[in-house]
Amino acid sequence: MAKTGKIQKLCIFNTGEFVVLPAHGVGKFVDYVELETSAGLQYFYKIHFEKNKSDVLIPESNLTNSGLRKIASKEIADKVFDVIVKAPRNQRGIWNKRMQEYDAKIYSGVLMNLAEVVRDGFICSIDPNKSYTERSKYKTALDRVCSELSVVFNESYEDVEKRLLSVLKSKHAKLPENDSFDLEFDAGDASEDSRSLDEDFAIEEEKSNVKKVAF
């Protein structure tokens, strides 16, 4: 449906603007549409995620609950490096509780919270004894941080990742000389790892490759 002046006035994002949806990560706002639903006429924010080649429709009535936000400012993004150089939290304690804390930080969508998971979970990338679940949460957080910083600093994802890992390795890791542990990962795997957790935050209906999300 063609946009009206009223629709354009209501929209809080600019077409083509990068945004962050906590349950999915960095995407691009592509349209503000009105659709006829069983509950009547509703307005939706349409977000495109290039990595997964998918679109998500967020009802305007649930915009706040979705956590959709603008990309962080450069000033805030710079603080990510202040966070990751600090000493990581003690890994002792109840494993399940630590994983729940990671989930809460990842799905808060707050950049500093994600940076804390990257810092605290970095040991997972160099310790073969860490669990698959711990590794997947670290990978998800790292992917979210790299994706957002690449937009903020106008750098490639790969360059941002190298910068972050370089700082983490210099501050927290004592790697063997042959650097036998692989610090790289497939960002697609991170999306797969977190997919089941999305259900805690959204109910998705797949229709013509567009997901209508109700929060």
Side-chain angles (χ1 to χ4, degrees):
M1 179 178 294
K3 290 184 177 180
T4 65
K6 179 181 178 181
I7 293 180
Q8 291 179 338
K9 183 178 180 180
L10 289 172
C11 185
I12 62 175
F13 298 108
N14 296 316
T15 302
E17 179 180 358
F18 283 101
V19 294
V20 175
L21 184 60
H24 296 269
V26 175
K28 183 178 290 186
F29 170 69
V30 293
D31 205 358
Y32 183 59
V33 298
E34 56 181 354
L35 297 174
E36 191 68 43
T37 69
S38 59
L41 188 65
Q42 292 191 51
Y43 296 103
F44 294 85
Y45 286 81
K46 184 177 181 179
I47 312 299
H48 178 71
F49 295 90
E50 181 62 26
K51 185 177 298 181
N52 300 323
K53 304 295 183 183
S54 64
D55 296 322
V56 172
L57 292 177
I58 304 173
E60 183 179 54
S61 58
N62 291 313
L63 189 63
T64 300
N65 289 338
S66 75
L68 184 68
R69 65 171 174 82
K70 293 177 177 290
I71 289 290
S73 66
K74 188 177 183 300
E75 180 181 6
I76 292 177
D78 283 333
K79 293 180 180 179
V80 166
F81 294 91
D82 295 332
V83 171
I84 65 174
V85 298
K86 293 181 180 179
R89 291 184 58 186
N90 194 311
Q91 294 294 309
R92 297 175 183 175
I94 301 175
W95 181 86
N96 284 343
K97 182 178 180 180
R98 189 165 71 250
M99 294 305 99
Q100 290 173 0
E101 291 176 349
Y102 280 0
D103 282 344
K105 289 182 178 181
I106 290 172
Y107 287 95
S108 71
V110 177
L111 187 56
M112 294 303 104
N113 287 347
L114 288 163
E116 289 179 358
V117 176
V118 170
R119 178 198 64 205
D120 297 341
F122 175 67
I123 187 64
C124 297
S125 66
I126 58 175
D127 185 349
N129 296 316
K130 292 297 182 180
S131 70
Y132 173 81
T133 299
E134 288 177 286
R135 288 174 180 269
S136 69
K137 295 187 189 306
Y138 162 74
K139 291 176 181 180
T140 298
L142 181 61
D143 177 54
R144 301 283 175 87
V145 172
C146 289
S147 296
E148 185 160 3
L149 294 191
S150 68
V151 174
V152 176
F153 297 129
N154 193 27
E155 298 179 19
S156 70
Y157 180 102
E158 293 74 19
D159 286 345
V160 171
E161 183 183 39
K162 287 179 181 178
R163 286 175 58 192
L164 286 173
L165 292 178
S166 177
V167 173
L168 289 165
K169 289 170 65 175
S170 66
K171 291 293 182 179
H172 307 305
K174 293 182 179 179
L175 294 175
E177 292 184 0
N178 62 1
D179 199 13
S180 60
F181 297 113
D182 184 9
L183 294 178
E184 297 183 356
F185 67 96
D186 184 347
D189 291 341
S191 297
E192 291 293 330
D193 294 334
S194 63
R195 185 169 298 169
S196 62
L197 296 172
D198 289 347
E199 296 177 359
D200 295 334
F201 297 83
I203 300 174
E204 303 181 1
E205 296 179 0
E206 189 72 32
K207 184 177 181 181
S208 301
N209 200 35
V210 175
K211 299 176 183 178
K212 185 184 299 181
V213 182
F215 294 86

